[in-house]
Amino acid sequence: MKRNKNLILNNKINLELLLNSEKKPDQNVTNEEPFWDDPHISQQMLEAHLNSEWDAASYNHKTIDKIVEWLVKRLNLKENSKILDLGCGPGLYCTRFSQRGLDVVGMDYSSNSISYAKTYADTNGLNIQYIYQDYITMDYSDEFDAIFLIYCDLGALTDSKRDLLLEKINKALKPDGIFVFDVFTRYNWEQKSKRDWYLSESGFWRPYPHLVLEQTFEYEEENVYLRQYIIIDSKGEVSTYNLRDHYYSKQTVLQLMKKHGYQVQDIWSDLTGKTYEENTKCLGVAAKRVSTDG
């Protein structure tokens, strides 16, 4: 997110600020503020996670049940198998894995979600270790039987951060440990370019009146779409949020995993184990650690 700037400058509307916001940004642009840990936005995210019917922030809870059931069975995870859930949010997957007797660690960079997850685990007698941390900075060695990164988070990272994370996950897995993740394909983007706007008295971005200008940029050579949200609030401040999605194909996933020392075991159309189809909007992947070489 670009830091807040005033829309009103010397008692005049700062149109130059808005015109600059309209320009196509670098596809590797990063959010300068702790976006997922913003007090208001993180609370909105938590509510989305906990709504059992929504496919927002997390998959709906029936789908989560199917994912956990499928992965425990397919990966042959036994009681006390040690797993790590990256971007665990309020612990929806961690809770279900723990209830199946697994040794669970969850990591997330939203203090709000981690606080909820810890309280829920304590209240329900679940032995889960929750860590408030940016998973890019984790440092484990030969520790986990399986590591999960679910809800297409890998595609949100810049290529450099993605590559660093893949190296760290490889190191953190036990020999022959499994990394499971999902990513979008180009078929997820039915509307490749978009511009829209709306007014809200209170909503996801702000608890007070604000205008949202939304646009999508395509970077075809890099296989990236970037969703940009420009928020103009009732205080006259302008904030810009850039949400990046790198999309993949079966072939590019195979190439990426091989490059980072993994051997792909399975590719599905989602993490419930749905059989792979060419025009799927999502890929679910299970890849085994085979080396620690880059």
Side-chain angles (χ1 to χ4, degrees):
M1 184 190 84
K2 294 181 181 177
R3 296 183 183 278
N4 287 348
K5 298 179 180 179
N6 289 327
L7 181 62
I8 306 300
L9 186 64
N10 297 325
N11 295 320
K12 295 182 179 180
I13 297 177
N14 187 2
L15 289 181
E16 184 178 355
L17 175 62
L18 294 181
L19 288 172
N20 286 335
S21 298
E22 287 282 296
K23 296 178 181 178
K24 189 174 185 178
D26 184 322
Q27 58 99 2
N28 285 309
V29 67
T30 57
N31 294 310
E32 298 173 7
E33 299 292 333
F35 170 65
W36 300 115
D37 216 17
D38 175 272
H40 175 73
I41 294 175
S42 65
Q43 182 60 36
Q44 300 299 300
M45 290 290 293
L46 178 58
E47 291 177 10
H49 278 297
L50 298 178
N51 189 312
S52 63
E53 303 297 325
W54 285 6
D55 280 308
S58 296
Y59 294 116
N60 67 73
H61 293 196
K62 288 183 179 179
T63 298
I64 293 174
D65 289 337
K66 292 178 181 178
I67 289 173
V68 170
E69 181 179 359
W70 169 251
L71 292 178
V72 169
K73 178 181 178 181
R74 181 61 178 169
L75 303 183
N76 195 28
L77 295 174
K78 305 295 186 182
E79 188 172 352
N80 296 322
S81 292
K82 189 166 185 179
I83 68 154
L84 172 63
D85 183 17
L86 299 175
C88 67
L92 301 178
Y93 294 89
C94 291
T95 294
R96 289 160 171 80
F97 283 126
S98 180
Q99 290 169 339
R100 286 164 171 76
L102 305 185
D103 183 359
V104 181
V105 179
M107 184 178 294
D108 200 281
Y109 206 27
S110 168
S111 57
N112 208 19
S113 287
I114 287 293
S115 177
Y116 176 92
K118 287 180 176 179
T119 299
Y120 186 90
D122 291 342
T123 301
N124 291 275
L126 299 174
N127 184 23
I128 303 172
Q129 180 186 2
Y130 284 113
I131 302 170
Y132 170 58
Q133 182 178 336
D134 182 350
Y135 51 63
I136 293 292
T137 67
M138 71 176 184
D139 187 19
Y140 294 105
S141 295
D142 302 320
E143 192 159 340
F144 297 98
D145 296 289
I147 296 178
F148 303 104
L149 182 64
I150 300 176
Y151 209 60
C152 298
D153 279 10
L154 192 71
L157 302 174
T158 62
D159 290 355
S160 60
K161 285 189 175 183
R162 175 203 63 193
D163 292 346
L164 176 61
L165 180 62
L166 290 174
E167 293 172 9
K168 287 177 174 285
I169 290 172
N170 194 307
K171 179 183 176 184
L173 287 167
K174 295 178 181 178
D176 293 331
I178 300 291
F179 173 41
V180 175
F181 63 99
D182 53 356
V183 288
F184 290 123
T185 74
R186 65 183 179 87
Y187 296 103
N188 182 64
W189 297 90
E190 295 176 353
Q191 189 174 6
K192 295 186 177 182
S193 61
K194 175 182 179 181
R195 284 191 174 187
D196 199 2
W197 67 274
Y198 64 89
L199 285 166
S200 179
E201 290 188 6
S202 176
F204 178 84
W205 297 106
R206 295 290 183 272
Y208 41 77
H210 57 281
L211 170 67
V212 180
L213 308 176
E214 178 184 351
Q215 51 191 337
T216 300
F217 299 98
E218 180 181 8
Y219 304 80
E220 191 170 357
E221 291 185 3
E222 294 84 7
N223 295 339
V224 168
Y225 283 102
L226 187 141
R227 290 169 294 159
Q228 184 178 81
Y229 299 88
I230 301 170
I231 314 302
I232 304 171
D233 65 33
S234 57
K235 300 178 182 179
E237 295 183 335
V238 180
S239 303
T240 302
Y241 300 88
N242 294 298
L243 306 185
R244 182 181 189 274
D245 276 313
H246 186 142
Y247 59 87
Y248 292 84
S249 66
K250 183 177 181 179
Q251 187 60 36
T252 56
V253 164
L254 290 170
Q255 292 170 349
L256 181 67
M257 291 294 98
K258 182 178 180 181
K259 174 184 175 182
H260 289 281
Y262 299 85
Q263 182 179 41
V264 173
Q265 304 293 292
D266 290 295
I267 293 184
W268 310 288
S269 281
D270 61 33
L271 288 179
T272 68
K274 182 181 177 182
T275 301
Y276 168 77
E277 298 177 352
E278 184 67 31
N279 62 346
T280 181
K281 293 184 177 182
C282 178
L283 296 174
V285 184
K288 180 186 291 187
R289 168 189 169 180
V290 292
S291 78
T292 56
D293 297 330

